[in-house]
Structures are given as C-alpha cells and as structure tokens.
Amino acid sequence: MSEDHKGPERPTTGDLDEQALFYHRYPRPGKVAIQPTKPLGNQRDLALAYTPGVAAPCRAIAADPSLAAVYTSRANLVAVLSNGTAVLGLGDIGPLASKPVMEGKAVLFKKFADIDVFDIEIEAREIDHIVEVVAALEPTFGGINLEDIKAPECFEVEERLRARMKIPVFHDDQHGTAIIVAAAVRNALALNGKKIEDIRIVSSGAGAAALACLNLLVSLGAKVENITCTDIDGVVYEGREARMDRWMAVYAKKTELRTLSEAIEGADVFLGLSAGGVLKPHLLEKMAERPLIMALANPTPEIMPDLARAVRPDAMICTGRSDFPNQVNNVLCFPYIFRGALDCGATSINEEMKIAAVDAIAALAREEVSEVAAKAYGADTPVFGPEYLIPSPFDPRLILKIAPAVARAAEATGVASRPIEDFGAYLDLLNRFVFRTGLIMKPIFQIARDSGKRVIFADGEDERVLRAAQVMLEDKVGVPILVGRPAVIVSRLERYGLRIRPGKDFEVVNPEDDPRYRDYVDHYFGKVGRKGVNPDTARTVVRTNTTVIAGVAVSRGDADILICGLEGNFVRHLRDIRQIIGVAEGTTKMAAMSLLIGQQGTKFFLDTYVQRDPSAEDLAEMVMLAATEIRRFGIEPKGAFVSHSNFGTDETPQTKKLRQALALVRAQAPDFEIDGEMHGDSALNEAIRRRVMPTSTLSGEANLLIFPNLDAANITMNVVKAMTESLHVGPILLGAAVPAHVLTPSVTSRGVVNIAAIAVAEAVQRG
C-alpha cells in the first residue's frame, strides 16, 4: 500500500457529514495555510525579510502610504469577515462555528481569482462594536468581504463602514446575489421584449439578498411603485409594524394586497429568496406572459423547475442549484469584482462598478461561445436563450470580462487610486492566471458531465474506486462499471459509509460468475491466441486478471472506457491494453503524459511512463498526441524539448534526436509553438531564453515539456511534484484505440475521478 493511501481511519457512517468532517480534518486541519512568497534560505534572505532590511520598506511606506501596494501584500489581501449570525442555512451559530464557511470562501477567492484572504471571525453583535472592529483593520487589507451577518444589522454595518473606510467593503450575501439576478433579468427582458421600467416584480423574502436585488434592479431602471415585497408575514405595506425596518420600508406602499397569492397577479418577475415550496404551481397561472421565475432558495427552490414548466411552459426559470440551467451562484462575480477593484486600487465598490459587472455577465451569456469556452461547457455548446440566461460558474472567460469592466468603472467614477494603464497587458495577465490554477480541470468536468459514457474500473473492490464511483454518480461524470465480487463490494461500501449500491446505481462484472464468461474467453483468445496464450491459459486469465476482463468489455463494446492499475505493475497493465485494445488508427505507439497543477503554474510532462528511449519519430508522434489532449483542456500547447544542451551547446545522440523530432513536428504543424533543445530554465523563462536564442519560435512559458527518454521525464516530474507539492493528474495514456488509462498505486480517490473525467471527455470528443 502506498503512503498516499495510508493514514487515519476513513469515515464509516455513510453520510455526507462524515465525509465532510474527514475532509476538513485530514491530512491537516482546515482548508487554508500561509506560505512565504520570497526565499528564506540563508542569512542574507533573513536580513532582507526582517531586521535590518525590512526597515527600508517601512520608511518608504511611512513617507508615502501608497507604497504599501508596492512593498507588501496588502493590495492583494482581502478579509472575509463574519460574526456568524446568519450562516448559510444554519442561522446564528456564532463566529467560531462559522470559521469553516469563511475558510471555504477564502479558498474560492484564491482558486477563482488568485486573491489572498485572511478569514476573520469576530465576537461582536452590536452594530457599533462590529464597525469599530472592522474599521480598525483597514491598514492590513486591500478590501473587506462581509459575510453571513444577519439583516437588518448588515445594512447598517456596511453603510457605516463604506462611509468610514477607504478600501472596498462588500457584503456578498447582498450584492453578489443581486449582480447575478440583475444580469439574468437583463437577459430575460431582452428575450421577452419587455422593458425594465414597465415590469412588475414580486419578491418572496425581504432579507439582505432580496432587498439588495431589488435595490440594484431599481438602479437599472425598475420602478419602486412596480415592486411588491413579501416575507413570512405577507406583503410589506405602508403601516405594517411586524418585522419592519427602514430598508424594507422603501418598498412599503399603500395597498390592499396582503398575501403572495394576491400580489403575484400580473407579475412579470418572481424573485424568490425565501423558503422551499412557497410558490405553488397554481400561482404561476396568475403571472404575466413570458414570466421570469427566480426560485433561488437552497437546497429546495420556491418551486421546482419541472413543476413550474408544466404550468407555464413560456416561463424562464432560474434556481440556485447546479443541476438546473441558469444557476444563480455568487461565485460568478465576487472573486472577479474584487480582482478588478484590487488591481486598480479602488477605494470602494460603488453602484457603477456593480452595474459594470452586471453588464459584463449579461453580455457574456449573449456572446457566441469561443472554441476554448465551448470546451469548458462540454458536448452541448450553450446558446443564449431561456435555458442560458447567465454563464456557467466554470466559464473561464468570467475573470477576463468582469475584472476589467469593474476596473474601468472604478476609474471612470474616480475611485481608482491606481488606474490600469495598459488593459491589453492586464488581460494577458488574467489569461495566464486562468491556466495556471486548478481551474484547468473544470473544462474537462463540464465536457464529461451528463455524457452517459460507461467507465469500467478493473479494480472495482478498491476503496478509492468505490469512493470515485460515488463522486462520479453524484457529479454525473460518466457511468461506473466495477469489476469485482459483489459481496466484497457491498461489504466495503457499508464499511466506508457509501450510499451507492450495485445493481441499482452501477453494474458489476463478477470475475467468479458472469454469464458472459465464455464469450469473454473467446474474445480474449481471439486477440492473443497467436501470442503465446493457449485456450486453458485464456480461461484462467479471464477468471483472474481484472485488467483483461475490463479490456475485453471495452473491446466488445460493453463499456466505453477502461481504468486500471491500482494494483500490480504498470508495464503488465499496459501490455494487456496493447494486446486487447491496441493503438489508435494512424498511431504506432502509446505514450504517457503527466499533468502537475501547482501554485506556480500548470505543466504537462512527456513521456513519463511508457517509452523508455523513444526515437525522433516516436517523440514527434507523442508530441502531436499530447497537443490534442492539451487542447481538450481549453489550452493551446506550447512545447519545449528539454535537455542538458541549450540550443546546440552539446552534440550527443540524444540532442540530435531532439532536433530531429523538432523538425518533424514543425513539418506536421507549422503553427505549433515549439522549440528546443533547451535547458529547463530556458523553457520556463522567456527572458532567459531570449538571451541565449533571440530568434526562438516559442513565446512565454512552455506548458509542455518533452524529454529525451523515460528516465529524464519520470525523475523530473516526480522531483518537481515533491518539491512544489503539486497535484499530479495522470499518467494520461495517449494513443490507445479507445480511452484507456493505467493509474499508479499511490493515486487518491480524487485522482481516480480526475482520470475518469479526462477519459470521458476524450470519449465525448472522439464521438
């Protein structure tokens, strides 16, 4: 058993809560950590980082406070701050219990926009106390993201902090939701031909998010007199005393209406931010033609989309759930709004900046989807319409559209202390971020989702496969088929607390008793009968070798994809795949590529597992296969043949081979950015490369590193993985006739899911 698979006892009680507790506890408690960004390897480094060297930036900032953005991390540091009084659907659980949520928000900021976050949980409930605590933090942060503070206190807190502080203060529960809702309303009105100043809006819910949505819609042109606000006590009307405050009072009007049922008559938009099931199907009959129904309560909407559509097939429907079209998800905007605000040194996030975000999100949904973005969405490229009013949270273009729009609005309204001088260079910087983070896997999962492709796992009794199968089913990333003994699988599912069951959720191929056994033996013997295998051996192998069983299933068409390798020798598994499945048409040999995802970027390594000493022709072929695979991630490959030689500084058989391979690739793909042979630092640093080879045809950083032999590739990949604590995705087998992959024994269950998703995406795009 590998070290990656050892460790503490895994949860056995079966539900998501237990798995979440395990996730948060191991391998170290929590979800965030702090890492230095400067070297601290010797006495000189220490003298620069701390005393006496640190005095120089301190004096500079004392003389000019704006230099804090130059000499410290403040310009990229946000506080996610809460007092825990309105957490998720948990209510008032207090600041300490809210910490896992705030850490989660910190992770989203980092992953989606590369913003560093300190989560801060404060024991403060009175408005004055909250304001004093938060305002005192201004020297530390470039922005404040208020989170999970209950209404109506949250309104007063944000209002007073915005007036007092000279950095952005943004209550995401209010404004994040409002921005996505407003973008959806904009696009719905464009489709149904209505004008915002004419529409009637009815809200169910009068909390922070609902009121923020209504306020932003008013800023966009909606009329207050056309808005009816309801909550648990019914319509908010002039003279009502229960649960009223000055923010709700804006929408109180003289009216005889008292219930949602009465108020919804003739409404064009239903805005639900309340509770599941409150919008009954018969109420939809009262709404105007082509209504917009925004049922955003989670996890159960005010009305389920299928019920709404049965009554009003002309309606456009949004929910807060990822399993329906038009998901209103705050992650669509808050990381990118802060990204733009921080990058221009905004002193606040004003109404114009929020509207700029609305416009950018709405416009993105209306755009023709680019090739890169289409890959992020999968087989069904989205088209603007009732089922696609707002982009997916995984659209890689979000940061490229929202952040610049927000920064431009900040400059136009005079709140940008460091206006962006070159937006072309800024976009290039944002582009590079998108493809150096874990976001790289999201296009793959989007392609794989709902594909229905059947993935057969040769190691179906392994805990990691069982966990991966459950995740695949939950995320709809392919249909798992497990090779294994049913009784063992059931026993282990119960032991690990997993909900899925054979025969109900997935198919099992039982090596000891499968009705297709004789057919599988005949099929296998037909493949290997003239390769030293006799019929008796074939019968034994098909009983005992699960990789052979899975390979035959794929070869016969009983499955679409093969995943194996958790036990045994990589070479043996590869031999079985070669014999049974074979190589793709037009390909002579298989190869393996590894993907490392780390804090410093994402890199592909070739060939890390298969070809020991490839020829120039082999290298050229594997490079072309790798380029096709990399483009599946929505990334344009940039290749470098790496060597001890730097553009001809040494003449050896290996360097000559690399040059020959480069010539072959260029002949096949003249537009492919690739060069070599070169040192590793030349491949990753354009400035170094330009010094030694000004005419290099490679620009920027290489993202595909090609090595002269297996030793160099595998050693380099594993050393880099260990030194940078990067996530290894792979090996990704290239060149098989159908998608097939050999895992390594150290892979985790998440690694199994990643490889399965890559294989499914390949199968989808092969057609």
Side-chain angles (χ1 to χ4, degrees), residues 549-603:
I549 296 168
V552 170
V554 171
S555 181
R556 279 169 40 94
D558 297 337
D560 304 306
I561 293 153
L562 163 63
I563 307 290
C564 63
L566 288 179
E567 294 182 3
N569 182 274
F570 185 96
V571 174
R572 177 176 64 81
H573 292 294
L574 187 63
R575 178 204 64 201
D576 292 335
I577 291 172
R578 282 174 174 149
Q579 290 181 340
I580 300 168
I581 293 175
V583 297
E585 186 176 350
T587 302
T588 61
K589 295 180 181 178
M590 296 180 196
M593 179 171 66
S594 288
L595 164 62
L596 292 186
I597 304 172
Q599 290 294 326
Q600 303 305 313
T602 297
K603 294 289 179 285

Short mmCIF file of all heavy atoms in Angstrom, two decimals, residues 549-603:
data_model
loop_
_atom_site.label_atom_id
_atom_site.label_comp_id
_atom_site.label_asym_id
_atom_site.label_seq_id
_atom_site.Cartn_x
_atom_site.Cartn_y
_atom_site.Cartn_z
N ILE A 549 -10.25 -8.55 -18.09
CA ILE A 549 -11.72 -8.55 -18.12
C ILE A 549 -12.25 -7.19 -18.57
O ILE A 549 -13.12 -7.09 -19.44
CB ILE A 549 -12.29 -8.91 -16.72
CG1 ILE A 549 -11.90 -10.33 -16.34
CG2 ILE A 549 -13.81 -8.73 -16.69
CD1 ILE A 549 -12.17 -10.68 -14.88
N ALA A 550 -11.72 -6.13 -17.96
CA ALA A 550 -12.16 -4.77 -18.31
C ALA A 550 -11.80 -4.45 -19.75
O ALA A 550 -12.59 -3.81 -20.48
CB ALA A 550 -11.55 -3.76 -17.36
N GLY A 551 -10.62 -4.87 -20.19
CA GLY A 551 -10.20 -4.61 -21.56
C GLY A 551 -11.10 -5.30 -22.57
O GLY A 551 -11.47 -4.73 -23.60
N VAL A 552 -11.46 -6.54 -22.29
CA VAL A 552 -12.37 -7.26 -23.17
C VAL A 552 -13.74 -6.59 -23.21
O VAL A 552 -14.37 -6.47 -24.27
CB VAL A 552 -12.49 -8.74 -22.73
CG1 VAL A 552 -13.61 -9.45 -23.49
CG2 VAL A 552 -11.17 -9.46 -22.93
N ALA A 553 -14.21 -6.12 -22.05
CA ALA A 553 -15.50 -5.42 -22.00
C ALA A 553 -15.49 -4.21 -22.93
O ALA A 553 -16.46 -3.98 -23.67
CB ALA A 553 -15.81 -5.00 -20.57
N VAL A 554 -14.41 -3.44 -22.90
CA VAL A 554 -14.31 -2.27 -23.77
C VAL A 554 -14.19 -2.70 -25.23
O VAL A 554 -14.84 -2.14 -26.12
CB VAL A 554 -13.10 -1.39 -23.34
CG1 VAL A 554 -12.86 -0.30 -24.38
CG2 VAL A 554 -13.35 -0.77 -21.98
N SER A 555 -13.37 -3.70 -25.48
CA SER A 555 -13.17 -4.17 -26.86
C SER A 555 -14.47 -4.69 -27.46
O SER A 555 -14.72 -4.53 -28.66
CB SER A 555 -12.10 -5.26 -26.87
OG SER A 555 -11.86 -5.72 -28.17
N ARG A 556 -15.31 -5.33 -26.63
CA ARG A 556 -16.59 -5.87 -27.10
C ARG A 556 -17.68 -4.80 -27.21
O ARG A 556 -18.74 -5.04 -27.77
CB ARG A 556 -17.09 -6.95 -26.13
CG ARG A 556 -16.47 -8.31 -26.32
CD ARG A 556 -16.82 -9.23 -25.15
NE ARG A 556 -18.20 -9.09 -24.68
CZ ARG A 556 -19.22 -9.85 -25.08
NH1 ARG A 556 -19.01 -10.80 -25.99
NH2 ARG A 556 -20.42 -9.67 -24.58
N GLY A 557 -17.46 -3.64 -26.63
CA GLY A 557 -18.49 -2.61 -26.63
C GLY A 557 -19.39 -2.63 -25.42
O GLY A 557 -20.40 -1.92 -25.37
N ASP A 558 -19.04 -3.43 -24.39
CA ASP A 558 -19.83 -3.47 -23.16
C ASP A 558 -19.51 -2.29 -22.25
O ASP A 558 -20.19 -2.06 -21.25
CB ASP A 558 -19.58 -4.75 -22.39
CG ASP A 558 -20.02 -5.99 -23.18
OD1 ASP A 558 -20.89 -5.84 -24.07
OD2 ASP A 558 -19.50 -7.09 -22.91
N ALA A 559 -18.44 -1.56 -22.55
CA ALA A 559 -18.05 -0.35 -21.84
C ALA A 559 -17.33 0.55 -22.84
O ALA A 559 -16.93 0.11 -23.92
CB ALA A 559 -17.16 -0.67 -20.65
N ASP A 560 -17.20 1.81 -22.48
CA ASP A 560 -16.58 2.78 -23.39
C ASP A 560 -15.15 3.13 -23.02
O ASP A 560 -14.38 3.57 -23.86
CB ASP A 560 -17.41 4.08 -23.41
CG ASP A 560 -18.86 3.82 -23.79
OD1 ASP A 560 -19.09 3.22 -24.85
OD2 ASP A 560 -19.75 4.23 -23.02
N ILE A 561 -14.81 2.97 -21.74
CA ILE A 561 -13.54 3.48 -21.20
C ILE A 561 -13.01 2.48 -20.20
O ILE A 561 -13.77 1.89 -19.42
CB ILE A 561 -13.76 4.86 -20.53
CG1 ILE A 561 -14.15 5.91 -21.56
CG2 ILE A 561 -12.54 5.30 -19.74
CD1 ILE A 561 -14.97 7.04 -20.99
N LEU A 562 -11.68 2.31 -20.17
CA LEU A 562 -11.03 1.40 -19.23
C LEU A 562 -10.12 2.19 -18.29
O LEU A 562 -9.31 3.01 -18.73
CB LEU A 562 -10.19 0.38 -19.99
CG LEU A 562 -9.13 -0.40 -19.19
CD1 LEU A 562 -9.80 -1.26 -18.12
CD2 LEU A 562 -8.28 -1.26 -20.11
N ILE A 563 -10.27 1.93 -16.97
CA ILE A 563 -9.36 2.46 -15.96
C ILE A 563 -8.84 1.29 -15.13
O ILE A 563 -9.62 0.51 -14.59
CB ILE A 563 -10.08 3.46 -15.01
CG1 ILE A 563 -10.80 4.56 -15.80
CG2 ILE A 563 -9.07 4.06 -14.03
CD1 ILE A 563 -9.90 5.54 -16.50
N CYS A 564 -7.51 1.17 -15.03
CA CYS A 564 -6.91 0.07 -14.28
C CYS A 564 -5.63 0.56 -13.61
O CYS A 564 -5.29 1.73 -13.68
CB CYS A 564 -6.60 -1.11 -15.23
SG CYS A 564 -5.38 -0.72 -16.51
N GLY A 565 -4.91 -0.36 -12.94
CA GLY A 565 -3.57 -0.06 -12.49
C GLY A 565 -3.37 0.19 -11.01
O GLY A 565 -2.26 0.45 -10.58
N LEU A 566 -4.43 0.11 -10.19
CA LEU A 566 -4.25 0.40 -8.76
C LEU A 566 -3.42 -0.67 -8.06
O LEU A 566 -2.83 -0.41 -7.01
CB LEU A 566 -5.61 0.54 -8.08
CG LEU A 566 -6.38 1.82 -8.42
CD1 LEU A 566 -7.72 1.84 -7.71
CD2 LEU A 566 -5.58 3.04 -8.05
N GLU A 567 -3.39 -1.85 -8.63
CA GLU A 567 -2.55 -2.92 -8.10
C GLU A 567 -1.73 -3.50 -9.24
O GLU A 567 -2.18 -3.57 -10.38
CB GLU A 567 -3.38 -4.02 -7.44
CG GLU A 567 -4.13 -3.57 -6.19
CD GLU A 567 -4.90 -4.71 -5.55
OE1 GLU A 567 -4.80 -5.85 -6.05
OE2 GLU A 567 -5.62 -4.45 -4.57
N GLY A 568 -0.50 -3.90 -8.92
CA GLY A 568 0.31 -4.56 -9.92
C GLY A 568 1.23 -3.62 -10.66
O GLY A 568 1.33 -2.42 -10.36
N ASN A 569 1.88 -4.17 -11.66
CA ASN A 569 2.93 -3.48 -12.40
C ASN A 569 2.37 -2.71 -13.58
O ASN A 569 1.54 -3.22 -14.34
CB ASN A 569 3.95 -4.53 -12.87
CG ASN A 569 5.10 -3.92 -13.61
OD1 ASN A 569 5.02 -3.70 -14.80
ND2 ASN A 569 6.19 -3.66 -12.89
N PHE A 570 2.81 -1.46 -13.73
CA PHE A 570 2.33 -0.60 -14.82
C PHE A 570 2.56 -1.27 -16.17
O PHE A 570 1.67 -1.27 -17.04
CB PHE A 570 3.05 0.75 -14.77
CG PHE A 570 2.57 1.76 -15.77
CD1 PHE A 570 1.63 2.72 -15.42
CD2 PHE A 570 3.05 1.76 -17.08
CE1 PHE A 570 1.18 3.65 -16.35
CE2 PHE A 570 2.60 2.69 -18.01
CZ PHE A 570 1.67 3.63 -17.63
N VAL A 571 3.73 -1.86 -16.35
CA VAL A 571 4.08 -2.46 -17.64
C VAL A 571 3.13 -3.60 -17.98
O VAL A 571 2.72 -3.77 -19.13
CB VAL A 571 5.55 -2.94 -17.62
CG1 VAL A 571 5.88 -3.71 -18.90
CG2 VAL A 571 6.49 -1.76 -17.45
N ARG A 572 2.77 -4.40 -16.96
CA ARG A 572 1.85 -5.51 -17.22
C ARG A 572 0.48 -5.02 -17.66
O ARG A 572 -0.11 -5.55 -18.60
CB ARG A 572 1.72 -6.38 -15.96
CG ARG A 572 0.73 -7.53 -16.11
CD ARG A 572 0.69 -8.42 -14.88
NE ARG A 572 0.22 -7.72 -13.70
CZ ARG A 572 -1.07 -7.51 -13.44
NH1 ARG A 572 -2.01 -7.89 -14.30
NH2 ARG A 572 -1.43 -6.88 -12.33
N HIS A 573 -0.02 -4.00 -16.99
CA HIS A 573 -1.33 -3.44 -17.39
C HIS A 573 -1.25 -2.87 -18.80
O HIS A 573 -2.18 -3.04 -19.60
CB HIS A 573 -1.75 -2.35 -16.41
CG HIS A 573 -2.06 -2.85 -15.03
ND1 HIS A 573 -3.12 -3.67 -14.77
CD2 HIS A 573 -1.45 -2.64 -13.84
CE1 HIS A 573 -3.17 -3.95 -13.47
NE2 HIS A 573 -2.15 -3.34 -12.89
N LEU A 574 -0.16 -2.19 -19.10
CA LEU A 574 0.00 -1.61 -20.43
C LEU A 574 0.05 -2.70 -21.49
O LEU A 574 -0.53 -2.55 -22.59
CB LEU A 574 1.27 -0.76 -20.46
CG LEU A 574 1.50 0.06 -21.73
CD1 LEU A 574 0.39 1.08 -21.92
CD2 LEU A 574 2.85 0.76 -21.66
N ARG A 575 0.71 -3.82 -21.18
CA ARG A 575 0.76 -4.95 -22.12
C ARG A 575 -0.64 -5.46 -22.44
O ARG A 575 -0.99 -5.70 -23.61
CB ARG A 575 1.59 -6.08 -21.52
CG ARG A 575 1.69 -7.34 -22.39
CD ARG A 575 1.99 -8.54 -21.53
NE ARG A 575 0.89 -8.81 -20.59
CZ ARG A 575 1.04 -9.51 -19.47
NH1 ARG A 575 2.21 -9.99 -19.12
NH2 ARG A 575 -0.02 -9.72 -18.68
N ASP A 576 -1.48 -5.59 -21.41
CA ASP A 576 -2.84 -6.07 -21.64
C ASP A 576 -3.64 -5.09 -22.50
O ASP A 576 -4.40 -5.52 -23.38
CB ASP A 576 -3.55 -6.28 -20.29
CG ASP A 576 -2.95 -7.45 -19.49
OD1 ASP A 576 -2.36 -8.35 -20.11
OD2 ASP A 576 -3.05 -7.42 -18.25
N ILE A 577 -3.46 -3.82 -22.27
CA ILE A 577 -4.17 -2.81 -23.07
C ILE A 577 -3.71 -2.88 -24.52
O ILE A 577 -4.52 -2.83 -25.46
CB ILE A 577 -3.96 -1.41 -22.49
CG1 ILE A 577 -4.69 -1.29 -21.15
CG2 ILE A 577 -4.44 -0.33 -23.46
CD1 ILE A 577 -4.40 0.00 -20.40
N ARG A 578 -2.41 -3.01 -24.72
CA ARG A 578 -1.89 -3.10 -26.10
C ARG A 578 -2.44 -4.31 -26.82
O ARG A 578 -2.82 -4.24 -27.99
CB ARG A 578 -0.36 -3.17 -26.06
CG ARG A 578 0.34 -1.85 -25.81
CD ARG A 578 1.83 -2.09 -25.66
NE ARG A 578 2.59 -0.84 -25.57
CZ ARG A 578 3.71 -0.70 -24.89
NH1 ARG A 578 4.20 -1.73 -24.20
NH2 ARG A 578 4.34 0.45 -24.88
N GLN A 579 -2.49 -5.45 -26.12
CA GLN A 579 -2.93 -6.69 -26.76
C GLN A 579 -4.42 -6.68 -27.07
O GLN A 579 -4.85 -7.18 -28.12
CB GLN A 579 -2.58 -7.88 -25.87
CG GLN A 579 -1.09 -8.19 -25.78
CD GLN A 579 -0.80 -9.39 -24.91
OE1 GLN A 579 -1.63 -9.79 -24.08
NE2 GLN A 579 0.38 -9.97 -25.07
N ILE A 580 -5.22 -6.15 -26.16
CA ILE A 580 -6.67 -6.26 -26.31
C ILE A 580 -7.28 -5.06 -27.01
O ILE A 580 -8.13 -5.21 -27.90
CB ILE A 580 -7.33 -6.44 -24.92
CG1 ILE A 580 -6.79 -7.69 -24.24
CG2 ILE A 580 -8.85 -6.51 -25.04
CD1 ILE A 580 -7.15 -7.82 -22.77
N ILE A 581 -6.84 -3.87 -26.65
CA ILE A 581 -7.44 -2.65 -27.21
C ILE A 581 -6.63 -2.13 -28.39
O ILE A 581 -7.19 -1.71 -29.41
CB ILE A 581 -7.55 -1.57 -26.11
CG1 ILE A 581 -8.58 -2.02 -25.06
CG2 ILE A 581 -7.96 -0.23 -26.70
CD1 ILE A 581 -8.70 -1.09 -23.87
N GLY A 582 -5.31 -2.14 -28.27
CA GLY A 582 -4.46 -1.71 -29.37
C GLY A 582 -4.34 -0.20 -29.46
O GLY A 582 -4.89 0.56 -28.66
N VAL A 583 -3.58 0.24 -30.47
CA VAL A 583 -3.34 1.67 -30.65
C VAL A 583 -4.37 2.26 -31.60
O VAL A 583 -5.01 1.56 -32.38
CB VAL A 583 -1.92 1.93 -31.18
CG1 VAL A 583 -0.88 1.47 -30.18
CG2 VAL A 583 -1.71 1.28 -32.53
N ALA A 584 -4.52 3.57 -31.53
CA ALA A 584 -5.47 4.27 -32.39
C ALA A 584 -4.99 4.24 -33.83
O ALA A 584 -3.79 4.12 -34.12
CB ALA A 584 -5.61 5.72 -31.92
N GLU A 585 -5.93 4.35 -34.73
CA GLU A 585 -5.60 4.36 -36.16
C GLU A 585 -4.66 5.53 -36.47
O GLU A 585 -4.88 6.65 -36.02
CB GLU A 585 -6.88 4.49 -36.98
CG GLU A 585 -6.66 4.37 -38.47
CD GLU A 585 -7.96 4.42 -39.25
OE1 GLU A 585 -9.04 4.36 -38.62
OE2 GLU A 585 -7.90 4.50 -40.50
N GLY A 586 -3.61 5.24 -37.22
CA GLY A 586 -2.64 6.27 -37.56
C GLY A 586 -1.58 6.49 -36.52
O GLY A 586 -0.72 7.36 -36.68
N THR A 587 -1.63 5.71 -35.44
CA THR A 587 -0.66 5.83 -34.35
C THR A 587 0.15 4.54 -34.26
O THR A 587 -0.41 3.45 -34.44
CB THR A 587 -1.37 6.08 -33.01
OG1 THR A 587 -2.15 7.27 -33.11
CG2 THR A 587 -0.38 6.23 -31.87
N THR A 588 1.44 4.66 -34.02
CA THR A 588 2.29 3.47 -33.95
C THR A 588 2.55 3.01 -32.52
O THR A 588 2.69 1.82 -32.27
CB THR A 588 3.64 3.72 -34.65
OG1 THR A 588 4.32 4.80 -33.98
CG2 THR A 588 3.42 4.07 -36.11
N LYS A 589 2.64 3.96 -31.57
CA LYS A 589 2.97 3.60 -30.20
C LYS A 589 2.17 4.46 -29.21
O LYS A 589 1.81 5.59 -29.52
CB LYS A 589 4.46 3.80 -29.93
CG LYS A 589 5.37 2.89 -30.71
CD LYS A 589 6.83 3.16 -30.36
CE LYS A 589 7.76 2.25 -31.17
NZ LYS A 589 9.18 2.55 -30.87
N MET A 590 1.94 3.91 -28.03
CA MET A 590 1.32 4.68 -26.96
C MET A 590 2.39 5.46 -26.21
O MET A 590 3.58 5.14 -26.25
CB MET A 590 0.58 3.77 -25.99
CG MET A 590 -0.59 3.04 -26.62
SD MET A 590 -1.44 2.00 -25.41
CE MET A 590 -2.41 0.95 -26.50
N ALA A 591 1.96 6.50 -25.52
CA ALA A 591 2.83 7.29 -24.67
C ALA A 591 2.03 7.73 -23.45
O ALA A 591 0.81 7.53 -23.40
CB ALA A 591 3.38 8.50 -25.42
N ALA A 592 2.70 8.31 -22.48
CA ALA A 592 2.00 8.78 -21.28
C ALA A 592 2.43 10.19 -20.96
O ALA A 592 3.60 10.53 -21.03
CB ALA A 592 2.28 7.87 -20.09
N MET A 593 1.45 11.00 -20.60
CA MET A 593 1.70 12.39 -20.22
C MET A 593 1.22 12.62 -18.80
O MET A 593 0.17 12.11 -18.41
CB MET A 593 0.96 13.34 -21.19
CG MET A 593 1.13 14.82 -20.88
SD MET A 593 0.46 15.85 -22.22
CE MET A 593 -1.29 15.46 -22.11
N SER A 594 2.00 13.36 -18.03
CA SER A 594 1.60 13.70 -16.67
C SER A 594 1.33 15.19 -16.57
O SER A 594 2.04 16.00 -17.18
CB SER A 594 2.70 13.32 -15.68
OG SER A 594 2.77 11.92 -15.54
N LEU A 595 0.31 15.55 -15.80
CA LEU A 595 -0.05 16.94 -15.55
C LEU A 595 0.22 17.25 -14.09
O LEU A 595 -0.21 16.53 -13.19
CB LEU A 595 -1.54 17.15 -15.87
CG LEU A 595 -2.22 18.41 -15.34
CD1 LEU A 595 -1.59 19.66 -15.91
CD2 LEU A 595 -3.72 18.37 -15.67
N LEU A 596 0.98 18.32 -13.84
CA LEU A 596 1.20 18.81 -12.48
C LEU A 596 0.51 20.15 -12.33
O LEU A 596 0.75 21.08 -13.12
CB LEU A 596 2.69 18.95 -12.17
CG LEU A 596 3.52 17.67 -12.07
CD1 LEU A 596 4.93 17.99 -11.60
CD2 LEU A 596 2.88 16.65 -11.13
N ILE A 597 -0.34 20.27 -11.31
CA ILE A 597 -1.04 21.51 -11.01
C ILE A 597 -0.50 22.03 -9.69
O ILE A 597 -0.70 21.42 -8.64
CB ILE A 597 -2.56 21.30 -10.91
CG1 ILE A 597 -3.10 20.67 -12.20
CG2 ILE A 597 -3.27 22.60 -10.61
CD1 ILE A 597 -4.55 20.26 -12.12
N GLY A 598 0.21 23.15 -9.74
CA GLY A 598 0.81 23.71 -8.53
C GLY A 598 0.55 25.19 -8.39
O GLY A 598 -0.07 25.82 -9.26
N GLN A 599 1.00 25.76 -7.29
CA GLN A 599 0.81 27.19 -7.04
C GLN A 599 1.50 28.05 -8.10
O GLN A 599 1.05 29.14 -8.41
CB GLN A 599 1.35 27.55 -5.65
CG GLN A 599 0.53 27.00 -4.50
CD GLN A 599 -0.87 27.60 -4.42
OE1 GLN A 599 -1.07 28.76 -4.75
NE2 GLN A 599 -1.84 26.80 -4.01
N GLN A 600 2.60 27.54 -8.65
CA GLN A 600 3.36 28.33 -9.60
C GLN A 600 2.92 28.11 -11.04
O GLN A 600 3.45 28.74 -11.95
CB GLN A 600 4.86 27.99 -9.48
CG GLN A 600 5.43 28.22 -8.10
CD GLN A 600 5.19 29.63 -7.60
OE1 GLN A 600 5.43 30.60 -8.32
NE2 GLN A 600 4.71 29.75 -6.38
N GLY A 601 1.99 27.21 -11.27
CA GLY A 601 1.53 27.02 -12.63
C GLY A 601 1.16 25.58 -12.92
O GLY A 601 1.23 24.70 -12.06
N THR A 602 0.78 25.34 -14.17
CA THR A 602 0.36 24.03 -14.63
C THR A 602 1.28 23.60 -15.77
O THR A 602 1.47 24.37 -16.72
CB THR A 602 -1.10 24.07 -15.12
OG1 THR A 602 -1.94 24.41 -14.02
CG2 THR A 602 -1.53 22.74 -15.68
N LYS A 603 1.82 22.40 -15.67
CA LYS A 603 2.74 21.92 -16.68
C LYS A 603 2.42 20.47 -17.04
O LYS A 603 2.03 19.67 -16.19
CB LYS A 603 4.19 22.02 -16.19
CG LYS A 603 4.68 23.44 -15.98
CD LYS A 603 4.87 24.18 -17.29
CE LYS A 603 5.34 25.62 -17.09
NZ LYS A 603 4.27 26.49 -16.60
#
